[in-house]
Amino acid sequence: MMRKVAWSVSHQEFIISDHYYFSKLQRYTKEAGIQVEEVDQMERLADYDTVIFNYPEIPFTPDEVDFIQELVERGKTVGIFGYYKNEDRIADTCNSLSERFGIHFNGDTVIDNVNNHEGDNLLIVSGDTYNLPETVEKVMLACTDSLITRKPNVRPLVHGEDTAESKLGLEALLFAEYVDPSGGKFIAGGTCVFWDNYSIDLYNNREFSLNLLTR
C-alpha cells in the first residue's frame, strides 16, 4: 500500500515543492512509491500515515499538540526538524510540540573538527546510528543543534561521533524518536536540511530520509 505523507505548510514550514531545495527528495519519494502532499490545515493531517513539520516558524498551540499526540497514539509517524543556533527561535518553536513527547531542542550549535564533510566543521558526518536500517551507515547533518531526551520511551537515532562538540557542552544527540505503545512514532531532528538537494546524495542521507518518511 502506498505510504501517504503530509508535508505540513500549516506553520510556515519550508515547502517540499520548492524546486531549488527539494526537487531530489520529491523525485526519490515518488520512485519509492511514497505519496507526499503539502497540507495547510491541521485537521487534514489525520488523513495521512506520516506528518512532517520541516522548520516550522509558528509555535504550536496546546490544542494542536493534543491533536498531534492523538495521531501518534493512533499509530501514525510525526517528524519535526529544526536548525542550529535557535535562528528564528526555531528551537523554541519545535519545543512547543516536541516537549510533549519528552524531546527538547537545545538551540545550540554542534561542530565536528574531525568527522565532517569537506573540512567544514558544521557539516557533521556520523556513523553513530541506532534503530535504523543497515543501509544507513553514515549520514551528513548540516547546521544541527542537539537534543535532550526526558522520557524513557525516547530512543536515539543519530548521535554525533566522539569528536562532535556542542557549543553549550551538551551531549551530541542529533536525532531521536519517541515510540508510543501503539507503534506510533514522534521523530525529532536537530537539522531540517539533511534531505535538501545539497545533502541528500551524500553518504546514506537518501536512505535515511526515505526511512524517516516510512517508519
Side-chain angles (χ1 to χ4, degrees):
M1 208 171 89
M2 184 178 272
R3 184 84 172 197
K4 287 179 65 183
V5 175
W7 189 283
S8 171
V9 292
S10 63
H11 287 69
Q12 275 183 355
E13 294 87 351
F14 286 148
I15 56 173
I16 192 173
S17 57
D18 184 318
H19 188 83
Y20 184 79
Y21 288 108
F22 294 114
S23 59
K24 289 180 182 177
L25 177 60
Q26 281 194 291
R27 185 166 82 244
Y28 296 153
T29 52
K30 208 170 184 179
E31 288 169 359
I34 303 167
Q35 182 184 340
V36 184
E37 294 173 16
E38 290 178 354
V39 178
D40 60 0
Q41 293 168 313
M42 286 287 288
E43 58 273 14
R44 283 187 52 220
L45 299 177
D47 300 335
Y48 296 82
D49 307 305
T50 299
V51 176
I52 298 298
F53 299 102
N54 204 51
Y55 200 91
E57 293 194 59
I58 299 172
F60 294 82
T61 67
D63 284 350
E64 289 174 333
V65 177
D66 289 344
F67 173 68
I68 293 160
Q69 183 176 3
E70 283 171 25
L71 296 184
V72 173
E73 288 171 351
R74 284 166 46 193
K76 296 180 185 289
T77 297
V78 176
I80 191 166
F81 306 103
Y83 209 47
Y84 72 152
K85 294 202 295 196
N86 203 9
E87 289 195 347
D88 300 331
R89 303 193 71 86
I90 181 63
D92 302 332
T93 301
C94 289
N95 285 334
S96 68
L97 175 59
S98 66
E99 287 190 337
R100 176 69 63 90
F101 300 93
I103 303 174
H104 176 81
F105 286 74
N106 292 318
D108 59 347
T109 299
V110 180
I111 61 167
D112 195 320
N113 292 318
V114 179
N115 292 287
N116 61 48
H117 184 62
E118 296 185 338
D120 186 331
N121 68 6
L122 285 170
L123 306 184
I124 290 175
V125 175
S126 180
D128 195 3
T129 62
Y130 304 83
N131 305 300
L132 290 168
E134 286 180 6
T135 52
V136 184
E137 291 178 15
K138 199 169 267 196
V139 292
M140 193 280 276
L141 304 174
C143 302
T144 184
D145 91 340
S146 66
L147 308 170
I148 291 175
T149 66
R150 293 175 171 160
K151 283 188 177 176
N153 29 359
V154 178
R155 61 188 191 177
L157 295 178
V158 184
H159 199 284
E161 299 279 358
D162 292 344
T163 46
E165 307 165 52
S166 156
K167 289 282 183 77
L168 295 180
L170 299 164
E171 185 190 346
L173 175 62
L174 308 178
F175 276 63
E177 73 179 350
Y178 164 88
V179 183
D180 191 77
S182 68
K185 297 180 180 73
F186 181 87
I187 303 164
T191 177
C192 60
V193 292
F194 63 96
W195 49 14
D196 67 359
N197 284 353
Y198 177 76
S199 300
I200 198 165
D201 287 332
L202 298 174
Y203 308 93
N204 299 123
N205 280 37
R206 177 179 175 175
E207 294 85 351
F208 180 51
S209 300
L210 296 177
N211 178 257
L212 293 180
L213 293 173
T214 54
R215 288 178 79 74

